[in-house]
């Protein structure tokens, strides 16, 4: 089992950058696929980015491609989300998620696929 704690959210002007981090506790973090989702008020939870175990296969939502980068440091049990050129529509509560997978499992962009979730960190982009 793993517990996740996000950090790094805050208030930033449009066009600015933020780096979110997600620290994990528990064993065998390297065996987990990890992802970021976000949820704006009154909207459904939305996929942002994901990274698989092993080779580091990644996936991004179309609106984040080229602006957001997901990465991980297994030694530190930490996942990062570098967000550049932020827009007002990026304002949301950002969640880190993880699931234990075997190497042959494809990367998932579905929230229901992830078993472990953090409490979220708020990102507010002012225009």
């Amino acid at each position: 089992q793993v517990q996740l704690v996000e950090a790094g959210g805050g208030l930033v002007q449009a066009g600015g950058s933020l780096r979110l981090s997600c620290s994990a506790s528990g064993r065998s973090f390297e065996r987990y696929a990890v992802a970021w989702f976000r949820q704006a008020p009154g909207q459904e939870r939305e996929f942002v980015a994901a990274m698989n175990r092993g080779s580091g296969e990644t996936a991004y939502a179309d609106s984040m491609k080229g602006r957001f980068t997901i990465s991980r440091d297994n030694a530190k049990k930490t996942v990062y989300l570098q967000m550049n050129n932020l827009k007002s529509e990026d304002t949301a509560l950002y969640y880190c998620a993880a699931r234990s997978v075997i190497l042959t499992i494809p990367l998932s962009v579905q929230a229901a696929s992830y078993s472990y979730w953090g409490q979220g960190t708020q990102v507010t982009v002012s225009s």
Side-chain angles (χ1 to χ4, degrees), residues 34-115:
V34 293
W36 290 93
F37 291 80
R38 70 185 186 185
Q39 189 167 18
Q43 297 187 21
E44 295 185 352
R45 193 165 295 190
E46 175 187 27
F47 169 73
V48 174
M51 175 174 264
N52 215 339
R53 61 173 287 184
S55 64
E57 173 194 5
T58 58
Y60 295 91
D62 287 343
S63 62
M64 288 75 163
K65 288 180 181 177
R67 298 192 301 125
F68 291 10
T69 303
I70 187 172
S71 61
R72 65 191 296 169
D73 185 333
N74 289 334
K76 295 182 178 179
K77 297 184 181 179
T78 302
V79 183
Y80 303 97
L81 183 68
Q82 177 67 44
M83 305 185 295
N84 298 327
N85 190 22
L86 284 160
K87 306 174 181 180
S88 57
E89 52 263 43
D90 294 319
T91 294
L93 188 60
Y94 283 71
Y95 296 93
C96 176
R99 66 172 191 151
S100 180
V101 295
I102 60 175
L103 286 173
T104 56
I105 294 295
L107 191 58
S108 174
V109 303
Q110 303 298 323
S113 299
Y114 292 85
S115 304

